[in-house]
Amino acid sequence: MKAVCWHGANDVRVDNVPDPTILNPRDAILKVTATTICGSDLHIYDGYIPSMQPGDIIGHEFMGEIVETGREVRKLKKGDRVVVSSIIGCGQCHYCAHQQWSLCDNSNPGGALQEPIFGYSTGGIFGYSHLFGGYAGAQAEYVRIPFADHGCVKIPDGMTDEQALPISDAFPTGYMGADMCDIKPGDVVAVWGCGPVGLFAIRSAYLLGAEKVIGIDRFPERLAMAKVQCGAEVINYEEIDAGEALKEMTGGRGPDACIDAVGLEAHGTGLMGLYDEVKQSVRLETDRPHILRQMIVACRKGGVISVMGVYSGFIDKLPMGAAFNKGLTFKMGQMHGQRYMPKLIDHVLKGDIDPAFAFSHHMPLTEAKQAYEMFKHKTDKCIKVLLRP
Amino acid sequence: METESDKTINSSEQPPVTDTEKWASIVGGSAMVLFGLQKRSLRGILTAIAGGGLAYHGATADKSITDKVSDAVGLNKALKVEKTVTINRPVEELYNYWHDFENLPTFMKHVKSVTVSEGGKRSHWVANAPLGQEVEWDAEVIKDEPNRLIAWASLEGADVDNSGFVRFTPAPGDRGTEVKVVMEYEIAGGRLTAALAKLFGEEPEQQVGDELRRFKQLMEAGEIATTEGQPRCHG
């Protein structure tokens, strides 16, 4: 089959690889009908996620049709059309039982690699490095789904691929970002980053009852989507100081909650921005925490910092004094897909949201390299690309 | 390794009650067991707990001059490992699975087979060693407390002289069972040192940790997570 393989930083190729097979009793094999590039795939593309190996198949946001099931698969059968959570959960451990699926104890065969850095191992993720299990990814014609009964959610009739595909990763990530904000009536939520996850976080914050959502980005087309499609007020941080603007837009209080939908490759400005660029380039820090610093200072006293952008290692100069003295609450983590996906499908069926709005481009899987370049550099007003195998 | 508890067992008298109680409380308690075992042999302690009635190689035999020299210069080291994992299953289920030693190769990767005889008290172990070789040993259950503890030791003539115990304790807050494994291997040098290095890796803690992780996966999820055999590009 054809699959997108990572060969090094800024080097992905569509290679011919063997088809996947059932390896464990609870596996299923999926024929991928649509897949996409997630913003966090760009961290892999750019070479910031450790433990990638040349030849690894990447991609974790996908949907398709079940073509084969292992003998212990109970809820799925050949021919089922499903969307699949990017995070793999066994469904039986303490964490899965408590709906914290990305913290699964049992789905990461490379868990021992994480322990020296994280203390304990987290769940596996499709196509997301050997730290997260080394599972073959889904930017491919076929993919093996471990613990398929839990990861696959059947797509109701009438829902299109474009509507269903974001429910694999971007939509639940944005939704969880808003869910963690503990939104109460009258709350104002600020979202850093108006890429697909940020846009879904804005929509989700409104679904969960936010009074006002403010989107922060620097690309005009993304800000336009945040405003027109998602109803946010927007800040272009290259034009005005985001911190001051947020204060003015919130009656001097500051946002009640701040969502990071950017992560470790944040673009900083000024001295601190330069500081992070330099330290990261010589590997003195792994991640650029510019957004985190800004959120901590901008957030209202007693507010919530909700982090959905990916961080992988160590960061410098986090204003802990501000966070402590302002009594902030930090919530973060890889998304718990299995917990949110059925709820999100209901929202789509009820017409509360049409996730298809996120896709600006459709391309064949064979053009994955061009798609990565376009998405990375935001050329042709690219927001999100749907890839057809 | 000559220790106080070895001496105690060497004598024909019963070990002093206070000593036995002390070690029993350590094995049974939640303290770091190996911390308390720094200078003592696990085998000796387990034997002492069992009442000192069984004669084991190393615990009874007089040491040769070579052994004493090795001890003195630190060549003859015992390798001790302690690891704990919490498994979201009831104590009985985990104890029963482990107690059938023939199940153990499903999650102990280097163990090829375990054959049980004498009603489960004795077992014969075959493990893979480097260059297609195998190492074998016979082991005996020293202590068996249903749903609580299984302790074992290899018998005289073992390729890999080992002893240890696995303890099952209900975890707080409906979290299942805490499973603690404490093991000790004697490294004699020569051929077996190489075999042991291969068997237990550079870091035996990691090896035992991996085995417990696989045991947990098997007991909770019903299968051991793997990526072996999945597609990738080799070009």
Side-chain angles (χ1 to χ4, degrees), chain B residues 31 44 71 112 118-119 123 140:
Chain B
D71 281 351
K112 205 172 156 188
E118 292 187 23
S123 50
E140 187 160 37

Side-chain angles (χ1 to χ4, degrees), chain A residues 17-50:
Chain A
V17 300
D19 287 351
T21 52
I22 300 274
L23 299 178
N24 260 342
R26 297 170 67 193
D27 291 354
I29 303 295
L30 186 88
K31 182 183 194 299
V32 178
T33 56
T35 180
T36 171
I37 303 169
C38 174
S40 53
D41 286 327
L42 290 182
H43 305 320
I44 288 182
Y45 187 68
D46 292 340
Y48 288 117
I49 302 293

Side-chain angles (χ1 to χ4, degrees), chain A residues 230-389:
Chain A
C230 305
E233 293 183 16
V234 296
I235 295 172
N236 184 334
Y237 69 84
E238 282 188 335
E239 291 173 357
I240 50 171
D241 182 273
E244 283 305 312
L246 281 169
K247 222 174 215 179
E248 285 311 307
M249 293 161 82
T250 54
R253 301 186 303 278
D256 298 287
C258 298
I259 301 175
D260 175 356
V262 178
L264 65 90
E265 288 185 79
H267 287 265
T269 50
L271 257 184
M272 282 311 267
L274 186 67
Y275 169 89
D276 289 321
E277 289 264 14
V278 171
K279 286 208 89 169
Q280 192 183 42
S281 65
V282 294
R283 296 289 186 262
L284 279 172
E285 67 179 349
T286 54
D287 307 6
R288 302 197 295 255
H290 188 77
I291 298 298
L292 288 175
R293 291 190 196 117
Q294 209 171 49
M295 292 202 312
I296 289 168
V297 175
C299 193
R300 81 153 161 86
K301 292 178 284 182
V304 178
I305 302 289
S306 166
V307 184
M308 294 312 296
V310 170
Y311 292 89
S312 73
F314 301 91
I315 55 180
D316 285 355
K317 304 252 185 301
L318 206 65
M320 202 60 201
F324 171 79
N325 286 293
K326 288 169 73 181
L328 301 182
T329 299
F330 280 68
K331 291 192 178 180
M332 63 194 83
Q334 300 279 1
M335 65 98 190
H336 307 309
Q338 293 84 337
R339 169 178 177 177
Y340 294 111
M341 291 164 76
K343 191 182 290 179
L344 301 187
I345 286 177
D346 282 349
H347 274 304
V348 177
L349 289 178
K350 280 195 287 181
D352 298 333
I353 181 170
D354 181 357
F357 79 88
F359 293 105
S360 58
H361 290 73
H362 287 66
M363 291 166 79
L365 183 72
T366 48
E367 290 175 25
K369 171 72 181 172
Q370 295 92 310
Y372 267 89
E373 279 297 303
M374 186 171 66
F375 185 44
K376 174 178 173 171
H377 298 291
K378 314 285 182 283
T379 53
D380 197 31
K381 298 185 176 178
C382 179
I383 303 282
K384 196 169 177 69
V385 186
L386 185 143
L387 296 168
R388 294 268 186 207

Side-chain angles (χ1 to χ4, degrees), chain A residues 196-211:
Chain A
V197 168
L199 294 171
F200 282 116
I202 294 168
R203 290 296 298 268
S204 301
Y206 280 124
L207 284 172
L208 290 164
E211 174 85 17

Side-chain angles (χ1 to χ4, degrees), chain B residues 44-99:
Chain B
I45 290 154
L46 291 173
T47 312
I49 291 166
L54 298 165
Y56 288 99
H57 173 67
T60 54
D62 273 335
K63 297 205 172 196
S64 67
I65 298 286
T66 328
D67 283 347
K68 282 179 177 161
V69 171
S70 300
D71 281 351
V73 297
L75 289 176
N76 201 4
K77 282 198 295 188
L79 200 150
K80 293 170 178 173
V81 179
E82 172 174 358
K83 276 277 178 189
T84 308
V85 68
T86 298
I87 302 182
N88 195 19
R89 305 297 305 165
V91 167
E92 303 76 44
E93 195 178 322
L94 303 180
Y95 168 85
N96 287 337
Y97 190 88
W98 194 296
H99 195 265

